[in-house]
Amino acid sequence: MCGLSGFVDPRAAGDGGALLRRMTRRLAHRGPDAEGYFEQGPAHLGHRRLSVIDIASSLQPMSSADGRYTLVYNGELYNFRALRGELEALGRTFRTRGDTEVLLQALEQWGEAALPRLQGMFAFVLWDTREQALFAARDPLGIKPLHYSWDGTLFAFASELKALVEHPDVARDIDLDALSLYLEAQYIPAPRTIYRGIRKLDAGHALTLRAGDLRVFRYWLPDYSSKPRWDEQESLERLEAQLRASVGSMLVADVPLGAFVSGGVDSGVVAALMTQESGAPIDTFNLGFAGDTTQSEHVEAAAVAAHLGTRHHALMVTPADVLAAFDDWVDVFDEPFGDQAALPTMLLSRLTRRHVTVALTGEGADELFGGYANYEKRVREERITGLLGAFAPLRALARHLPPRIARDRIVKAIGLPKAQRYATIPNVFDFAVQRGLYSDSFLARRCARISESAARFHDECNAAGYLEKIMYVDMRLWLPDDLLVKVDRATMAHSLEARVPFLDHAFVEFVARLDPALKVRDGTRKYLLKKLAEKFLPHDIVHRRKQGFVMPLSEWLGAGLRERVDRSLGPGGLQRRGLFREGALARLLGEHRCGRRNHAGRIWALTVLEVWFERYAPDFSL
């Protein structure tokens, strides 16, 4: 895995080397093994390398044999050997054994048409010296990140914001809509970032820059409309074959591999297939929470590891560990990011990197197979809200009720178009209650809603039923902009590569064709995946109640994190930023501490926000 950065600027021709190196070295954690640079005319490309395949060669930036094309690339192509065979059959020859040159020659041979052929996770930038043109793309599911800025003259890009903002001409004005989205949902959905002048390239999208014209386009979209007449047994057999193929393809590496295990179905199945495909015991890793808490899954993870015969490594986390890692947090997540599991994932990644360089994870299974309880609830509720929302007077009334009533999920849904009724899983400060919390100045200058982002994906999905549409919303919104951001930044902070078998795009396309009744059936979530898991895991592990990977916040916020919270939410912290009404934060904290309401998730998100402000925008206020 790697980090890339650079810029194209006709004003900096031959005079941007020092800046390019500053940008690229901010990504040293993503690639500790090597760095490289390409400077030609207006183009400046930088790369940091974490060596996983073809360690001795495959250095970047890599140029084509004739010097026309130069590539910087972050990711892994799992089908690079098959692609290499195709290219060799067309008469091409290779100097290296890795996937970087395969990607370079595939782009040289097929151009934009190469994108559907790529199986893997990636973000890349290709510079065409002859045409003075740039081509960039991000993998179909958004596993790897790519940020960019374009002001009409300067185009700058980087794997992470910290490298991009090193460029003095990249504007760092705060995007208040992005800030509002963070406070609503705990993350900032693409294409926005916290900075108004910087964008994330959406998952499954590419861009070209030619003669001053920037074009962004989508190149991948799964098809839910085609449903083959497979019965349950045939579907199960196909599922095993497809997932086994995905796991097997991700075992290609010239460095040690392992797997995260949570004690649940998703990571357990991946670890089981990984053990079988590798033909030897593997290393597994889990994190638990010390103390008397029901949040920890380390016992169940150890049971999975024992059942599979893995070499298991566990890390027990205390509040002191969290406090000690807070300074690292703001360097790793360089825009506000409130996922509670992110910091423990950082600590787990640090442990894992001591033993292996690559770890397989179970992300994506819940979004593909209907693993969240709210899916069934929302489908049931839509039978009511769909009828009531058809009456214009009721829609209008729902939009003007007092916040205490308007935030009710059904009432809120009645007032929204169908495409906006399901937005995202985290719900920090609901849009309906913001009028009573935010300052008049903030309210007047923000207008974005997370439901509007969700509507884009609801309408994009061609599934016939509401269940698969809302699962698709999570796959395109919550998954890439929260869960995968968490995994990418936390693992790369410790130079660990994470691979995600459930998110191989060919596997996603297969799951899209499955009958939705095989995903959620009679109250059983992930029905078919659990049928497969029964072949590999103990019955009580497969069918135990789902538990998320979250910290015991309520316990910790009242103990080890109390001083940090008071400082962040107090007069010297968020209170002075002008975002909240006078007394709103003190009232929130008071309600939580007296036990009237549980605001733990909100307090955590606010604390994280102020920590970010202190590091990146200390003078910000409205």
Side-chain angles (χ1 to χ4, degrees):
M1 206 51 53
C2 305
L4 50 94
S5 68
F7 54 94
V8 176
D9 186 354
R11 301 165 299 183
D15 189 30
L19 173 58
L20 177 64
R21 281 156 179 77
R22 284 203 311 274
M23 293 174 65
T24 305
R25 285 169 184 168
R26 290 302 309 276
L27 302 173
H29 55 284
R30 298 187 72 92
D33 297 329
E35 68 178 356
Y37 301 96
F38 170 84
E39 299 170 74
Q40 186 276 330
H44 300 73
L45 311 181
H47 188 265
R48 296 288 311 203
R49 186 184 185 205
L50 174 64
S51 302
V52 173
I53 297 175
D54 193 22
I55 294 173
S57 303
S58 296
L59 298 177
Q60 297 186 51
M62 182 178 287
S63 297
S64 58
D66 62 2
R68 175 177 175 178
Y69 298 100
T70 298
L71 174 74
V72 283
Y73 154 57
N74 167 29
E76 301 289 351
L77 291 187
Y78 304 125
N79 66 335
F80 78 96
R81 288 171 175 162
L83 286 175
R84 177 174 178 144
E86 286 187 61
L87 291 164
E88 286 175 332
L90 293 171
R92 291 186 168 270
T93 58
F94 289 82
R95 298 163 287 165
T96 66
R97 299 185 298 106
D99 60 339
T100 301
E101 188 181 6
V102 171
L103 175 58
L104 174 62
Q105 294 214 38
L107 295 171
E108 187 178 11
Q109 178 71 36
W110 296 306
E112 293 177 12
L115 292 175
R117 298 172 178 262
L118 307 179
Q119 178 190 357
M121 54 181 182
F122 55 82
F124 68 77
V125 171
L126 180 77
W127 175 250
D128 183 340
T129 300
R130 183 188 305 171
E131 297 293 328
Q132 297 287 281
L134 180 142
F135 177 42
R138 188 178 178 199
D139 65 71
L141 278 302
I143 303 170
K144 293 291 104 184
L146 186 62
H147 304 78
Y148 68 93
S149 175
W150 168 241
D151 65 7
T153 301
L154 167 70
F155 180 88
F157 64 91
S159 296
E160 298 180 16
L161 287 172
K162 62 174 61 68
L164 201 47
V165 298
E166 281 291 317
H167 199 297
D169 294 330
V170 172
R172 299 178 64 169
D173 300 325
I174 302 298
D175 183 344
L176 293 182
D177 278 333
L179 191 55
S180 177
L181 289 169
Y182 167 78
L183 288 169
E184 190 178 357
Q186 84 176 14
Y187 63 91
I188 298 172
R192 283 187 168 90
T193 74
I194 190 61
Y195 301 112
R196 193 162 58 238
I198 302 177
R199 286 289 181 262
K200 299 164 186 158
L201 186 61
D202 264 310
H205 281 64
L207 64 81
T208 60
L209 177 65
R210 185 183 300 270
D213 178 50
L214 182 72
R215 178 175 70 102
V216 180
F217 61 95
R218 185 182 64 207
Y219 70 85
W220 181 80
L221 188 65
D223 179 15
Y224 286 79
S225 65
S226 174
K227 301 293 187 184
R229 294 182 177 276
W230 302 327
D231 62 19
E232 181 177 317
Q233 183 59 36
E234 182 177 1
S235 297
L236 181 61
E237 292 170 357
R238 288 176 178 270
L239 171 60
E240 180 175 353
Q242 291 279 344
L243 187 55
R244 187 179 292 276
S246 179
V247 170
S249 73
M250 297 186 189
L251 300 184
V252 177
D254 296 330
V255 294
L257 298 94
F260 290 169
V261 292
S262 66
V265 169
D266 311 336
S267 59
V269 169
V270 168
L273 290 173
M274 187 178 176
T275 300
Q276 289 188 357
E277 291 299 300
S278 63
I282 65 170
D283 288 276
T284 54
F285 304 87
N286 173 261
L287 179 145
F289 302 116
D292 183 16
T293 175
T294 59
Q295 297 295 113
S296 188
E297 295 184 288
H298 63 279
V299 173
E300 291 82 3
V304 169
H307 182 77
L308 298 177
T310 72
R311 295 182 295 270
H312 191 55
H313 312 267
L315 175 68
M316 301 304 293
V317 177
T318 69
D321 297 319
V322 177
L323 280 171
F326 239 95
D327 290 338
D328 292 336
W329 172 287
V330 292
D331 285 331
V332 171
F333 296 92
D334 41 19
E335 71 176 357
F337 185 72
D339 190 320
Q340 302 165 19
L343 200 151
T345 305
M346 283 173 49
L347 300 176
L348 176 62
S349 299
R350 184 172 64 190
L351 165 70
T352 304
R353 187 60 175 89
R354 295 171 187 164
H355 301 270
V356 301
T357 308
V358 176
L360 273 62
T361 83
E363 267 73 25
D366 286 317
E367 292 75 18
L368 291 179
F369 290 95
Y372 301 123
N374 64 338
Y375 291 143
E376 294 172 282
K377 294 176 184 176
R378 293 306 181 89
V379 169
R380 288 196 302 269
E381 290 168 1
E382 179 57 25
R383 296 166 191 158
I384 300 171
T385 56
L387 290 173
L388 298 180
F391 295 96
L394 279 177
R395 288 202 308 272
L397 176 63
R399 289 194 292 267
H400 293 90
L401 290 170
R404 182 175 59 83
I405 302 172
R407 69 187 179 196
D408 178 86
R409 200 164 63 205
I410 293 179
V411 172
K412 183 172 62 174
I414 291 171
L416 291 171
K418 183 176 183 179
Q420 294 187 28
R421 289 174 191 158
Y422 182 84
T424 193
I425 290 173
N427 188 3
V428 184
F429 292 110
D430 190 275
F431 200 85
V433 305
Q434 293 174 9
R435 284 175 292 170
L437 291 170
Y438 294 176
S439 67
D440 290 338
S441 178
F442 189 23
L443 287 171
R445 296 167 66 181
R446 69 93 180 91
C447 60
R449 302 181 61 170
I450 196 72
S451 60
E452 294 165 351
S453 299
R456 175 164 61 109
F457 298 118
H458 176 282
D459 292 340
E460 177 181 284
C461 179
N462 67 351
Y466 190 61
L467 172 65
E468 288 189 310
K469 278 184 173 289
I470 62 177
M471 289 164 56
Y472 181 80
V473 167
D474 278 339
M475 189 181 79
R476 300 297 276 178
L477 187 61
W478 152 250
L479 179 64
D481 294 325
D482 186 312
L483 301 183
L484 294 178
V485 168
K486 172 191 69 180
V487 172
D488 176 79
R489 303 304 190 279
T491 55
M492 293 296 352
H494 298 287
S495 305
L496 176 71
E497 176 179 306
R499 297 180 177 179
V500 196
F502 286 109
L503 297 183
D504 175 278
H505 82 275
F507 182 77
V508 172
E509 290 170 350
F510 160 75
V511 176
R513 300 175 70 198
L514 288 173
D515 184 343
L518 293 175
K519 301 171 185 177
V520 179
R521 173 180 291 183
D522 298 330
T524 299
R525 302 186 291 276
K526 295 191 288 194
Y527 175 81
L528 194 66
L529 184 60
K530 288 181 178 179
K531 284 288 185 183
L532 176 61
E534 288 173 351
K535 294 184 60 175
F536 306 113
L537 302 173
H539 185 272
D540 58 339
I541 290 291
V542 173
H543 295 284
R544 75 184 183 92
R545 183 177 61 86
K546 180 177 176 57
Q547 182 173 315
F549 182 42
V550 295
M551 295 188 296
L553 279 184
S554 294
E555 300 170 37
W556 292 7
L557 288 174
L561 297 176
R562 187 182 183 105
E563 183 180 343
R564 168 67 76 165
V565 168
D566 287 342
R567 187 164 72 250
S568 294
L569 274 61
L574 273 182
Q575 282 187 28
R576 69 184 178 91
R577 305 289 181 188
L579 296 170
F580 292 87
R581 295 190 182 278
E582 186 71 26
L585 297 179
R587 184 170 61 252
L588 186 85
L589 200 53
E591 288 179 352
H592 179 77
R593 286 179 172 167
C594 76
R596 190 184 312 166
R597 296 189 63 188
N598 185 352
H599 293 302
R602 297 180 179 91
I603 292 169
W604 173 259
L606 292 170
T607 302
V608 167
L609 176 60
E610 177 56 26
V611 169
W612 184 87
F613 275 132
E614 291 170 3
R615 171 69 173 80
Y616 292 101
D619 299 326
F620 171 83
S621 67
L622 290 183

